[in-house]
Amino acid sequence: MVDEARAAGTLGGKHLVLGVTGSIAAYKAVGVLRALREQGATVSVLMTRGATKFITPLTFEVLSGHRVVTDLFESPETMPHLTMAEGADAVLVAPATAHFLAKAALGLADDVLSTMLLNVRCPVIVAPAMDGEMWTHPTVTQHVDALRARGVVVLDPEVGPLASGRIAQGRFPAEGTILDAVHAALLPQRDWRGQRVLVSAGPTQEPLDPVRFLSNRSSGKMGYAIAEAVCARGGDVVLVTGPSALTPPSGVTTVHVNTASEMADALSRHFSSCTVLIMAAAVADFRPRVPASGKLKKQGKVAIEFALEATPDILAMLSARRTSQVVVGFAAETEQLLSHAKDKLRAKGLDLIVANDVTHAGGGFGSDDNAATILSATGEQRAFGLMPKRRLADEILNAVRDLCLVVPRGQSLVE
Ligand code: PMT
């Protein structure tokens, strides 16, 4: 399916930034550039100083139809590290040297390419090429892992004859592999078509009296991002949401609730017809046993006591009731992230759990970004550094797809 899409010139309207670094494979980037252009993409090229030792900027300039930038300091007015990033749908670094991987992993910014990378929030795809001993060096492995954890797509180099004459893993990935990765990043996947997904989001509010409640800091952003991602990938969504200031994504059936028991009722109603439940809501664990029927008066009181009772554990209840549904929970933790998450995964009988450290600066409740580790009941683990919740949503869907959904033989996951 990807091959057909590739042939059809489906990158029309997409703009890519191609970064070329100093590897002997730099000349192969010319072929990649031509293929991207043939498919309708516009491409701007950045070259490192090392890359210009192997191939001239003029070659890329002629074939891209755009000026090639090689110098961060070419002129103070143009600020290429900012202007090149503007409007980019994806960045492709091909070939990428070990030196480049190290700089990108560490966030070093000493040339136009590495500085520009700190300015982009679009998908980044990296196609390494180097000698085999370098690729398997623990430092390189560490940097590749760090980049992947951040959501960067780092392709595996191929095994074959290298410039050194040795046969090892280090060859520039095949052009088709690189184009498939660009397609997967830029073209809508419909791999969730046929799935009916029940998503919960936001906080619940447990009344103390008619005007006051117990609640938490959940904004709904994580759950809404998941609902949006499922829709974008062709699935049907019922979103059960606690109070949130967000507008539900279009195409989603939304049920608004306030309390944990209203959320339990709404989710129970839709559970039997769903194929996947993703429970991102921050359900209040306790509620006042007897909320006051009228507004509580202060009347000189300096303290007031409430008896609290546990709310229903909706996730455990639905998981126990499942027929064939895949059940995914979240774990919001402030300490011992993985061991507490594993306990919840087991105790609630889940297929997957998304463990997020809600003390992580810039992640967790209310923020636009999140860092998480996805754990499966069968022992797989995928860790993701801080990234936009919408991108994490896609990673969660990838994990559910790869680890839990059965795909009929012969049917492609990517169209
Ligand atoms: O909404 P945002 O601002 O974007 O923030 C996102 C988030 C931090 C709220 C989200 O990523 C998250 O972690 N949601 C789960 C919060 C939570 O309640 O975690 P928990 O570890 O207390 O609960 C474990 C699981 O059981 C959760 O899937 C929860 O939805 C579920 N649960 C909890 C209590 C309860 N009574 N019923 C439940 O179903």
Side-chain angles (χ1 to χ4, degrees), residues 200-203 216-224 226 246 260 263 267 278-286 310-318 328-333 340 344 348 350 353-356 358 363-370 389 392:
S200 74
N216 58 62
R217 297 180 193 282
S218 170
S219 62
K221 286 179 185 171
M222 190 68 245
Y224 280 53
I226 293 168
L246 303 175
M263 185 169 276
L267 289 169
I278 305 182
M279 192 77 193
V283 185
D285 285 315
F286 294 96
T311 55
D313 189 322
I314 307 171
L315 190 54
M317 177 184 81
L318 293 176
V328 181
F330 269 72
E333 304 296 343
H340 285 171
K344 286 179 186 170
K348 299 186 191 225
L350 310 177
I353 196 154
V354 183
N356 43 182
V358 290
F365 287 91
S367 62
D368 290 334
D369 298 330
N370 210 1
K389 283 181 176 169
L392 181 59

Side-chain angles (χ1 to χ4, degrees), residues 1 188-197 229-237 275-276 397 401 405-408 410-415:
M1 296 290 255
Q189 287 180 294
R190 309 291 290 171
D191 54 347
W192 275 64
R193 204 172 40 189
Q195 300 297 337
R196 190 170 162 75
V197 187
V230 173
C231 270
R233 290 167 69 161
D236 292 325
V237 181
T275 55
V276 179
L397 297 190
R401 178 197 64 192
L405 295 177
V406 179
V407 180
Q411 187 175 313
S412 174
L413 285 168
V414 183
E415 292 199 8

